[in-house]
Amino acid sequence: MSDDELRRINAFLAGFARRRAERTVELQGGFAVFDDRFAGSWSNNQVVVDRTDAEPAALPGVVDEVMGERPFRVASVLDDDFGAACVGPFERAGYRHSTYLVMLHSGPVPAARDGRTVEEVGLAALREPLAASWRTALPDADEEVIHLLVERRVTTRRGAERVRFLGSRAENGEVAAWSDLYLEPTLGIAQIEDLMTAEAHRRRGHADAVLAAGLSRAADAGCATRFLIAESDDWPREWYARRGFEVIGRGHGFERT
């Protein structure tokens, strides 16, 4: 069952990237997505390899050609085995390799957290906490880059049948923790993405409340397949595992600047 769900999830991820994009270019093995309004955003301008009919040795050249004058190169390979075969060619071409985990929620849907109300919030409410989080994560980034990273979030609205931004507010009214929720009820799939907590509000149950609300809303929408993406070498994967998520697959990322 996990293999079937992984195929469905990878198809959802590819479809999300296509719908989010301003324009796409078809390639052997996949496609490229672009958004000239956010030309500096790696996630909005990259190659997505969602098939295995390409030659791994040729892919770095394909990425170079299609990404043209952009000062960076990004490729995401959804299939684990094919991605592993691409590691050598990409690394020889100067790319950095990373892996990410596809984690499926296999536990019961958690109950709402006592004392925490999670609501749908707009980008206006998220701008300040998002910007503050990016400044912490990227202390050397200028304000133009921070602005890009915040505003590119509007493009996610096109990615799925229903897109919700969920937030848990602190006592002073600030959005303390937040995440995206992407719902495809017709496919029975939901993704929770970009779950974050503002530094001043950590360890107070806000992230748990947002996660629980996202899982509950996904279940209410008829989405039995509920998943998220986690970096393979970062601590959140363990936090998610304690909350009922299990690894069912891996994908590969390649970057060069």
Side-chain angles (χ1 to χ4, degrees):
M1 187 63 179
S2 291
D3 288 345
D4 179 62
E5 286 191 295
L6 183 59
R7 285 191 291 271
R8 294 173 62 242
I9 286 169
N10 283 341
F12 169 84
L13 292 171
F16 189 98
R18 285 182 179 276
R19 286 203 263 183
R20 181 188 183 190
E22 184 180 58
R23 57 189 175 91
T24 61
V25 177
E26 299 302 320
L27 304 169
Q28 184 73 27
F31 56 95
V33 295
F34 297 103
D35 194 325
D36 292 334
R37 296 168 303 167
F38 302 100
S41 169
W42 292 13
S43 64
N44 293 86
N45 300 271
Q46 63 167 309
V47 171
V48 178
V49 179
D50 64 338
R51 303 192 308 276
T52 59
D53 58 350
E55 174 55 50
L59 279 175
V62 171
V63 176
D64 269 347
E65 181 177 0
V66 73
M67 295 201 71
E69 297 180 356
R70 279 176 168 73
F72 56 86
R73 303 286 185 262
V74 181
S76 298
V77 182
L78 302 185
D79 182 84
D80 186 13
D81 291 338
F82 188 71
C86 293
V87 173
F90 272 104
E91 288 188 337
R92 286 191 290 273
Y95 283 75
R96 296 183 300 276
H97 169 236
S98 60
T99 58
Y100 63 84
L101 308 176
V102 179
M103 302 187 72
L104 183 71
H105 188 253
S106 56
V109 175
R113 294 278 298 192
D114 291 340
R116 298 291 176 212
T117 300
V118 176
E119 61 189 47
E120 186 173 348
V121 296
L123 182 57
L126 289 175
R127 280 192 174 96
E128 283 304 315
L130 276 170
S133 293
W134 279 117
R135 290 187 190 105
T136 299
L138 302 173
D140 296 328
D142 60 34
E143 285 304 305
E144 183 177 351
V145 171
I146 299 299
H147 178 77
L148 168 77
L149 292 169
V150 172
E151 296 302 320
R152 71 178 182 177
R153 206 177 189 90
V154 301
T155 66
T156 63
R157 290 287 193 190
R158 297 193 301 263
E161 185 177 338
R162 304 179 197 168
V163 174
R164 305 287 186 262
F165 300 153
L166 303 180
S168 173
R169 292 188 184 271
E171 288 73 10
N172 63 2
E174 294 177 353
V175 178
W178 60 90
S179 75
D180 293 0
L181 176 63
Y182 309 142
L183 300 168
E184 284 286 344
T186 56
L187 300 178
I189 295 177
Q191 179 183 6
I192 295 171
E193 181 67 8
D194 285 339
L195 175 60
M196 300 179 70
T197 304
E199 190 170 10
H201 302 293
R202 290 175 182 168
R203 300 185 182 277
R204 300 180 186 177
H206 290 288
D208 268 309
V210 173
L211 181 62
L215 291 170
S216 178
R217 291 184 183 217
D220 289 345
C223 298
T225 298
R226 300 178 289 273
F227 79 98
L228 53 79
I229 301 296
E231 294 182 20
S232 63
D233 59 354
D234 206 357
W235 66 265
R237 72 188 189 282
E238 299 173 356
W239 189 87
Y240 291 126
R242 293 194 297 271
R243 285 151 178 82
F245 286 85
E246 62 178 340
V247 177
I248 64 165
R250 289 171 174 78
H252 297 259
F254 301 96
E255 302 169 353
R256 191 183 74 197
T257 55

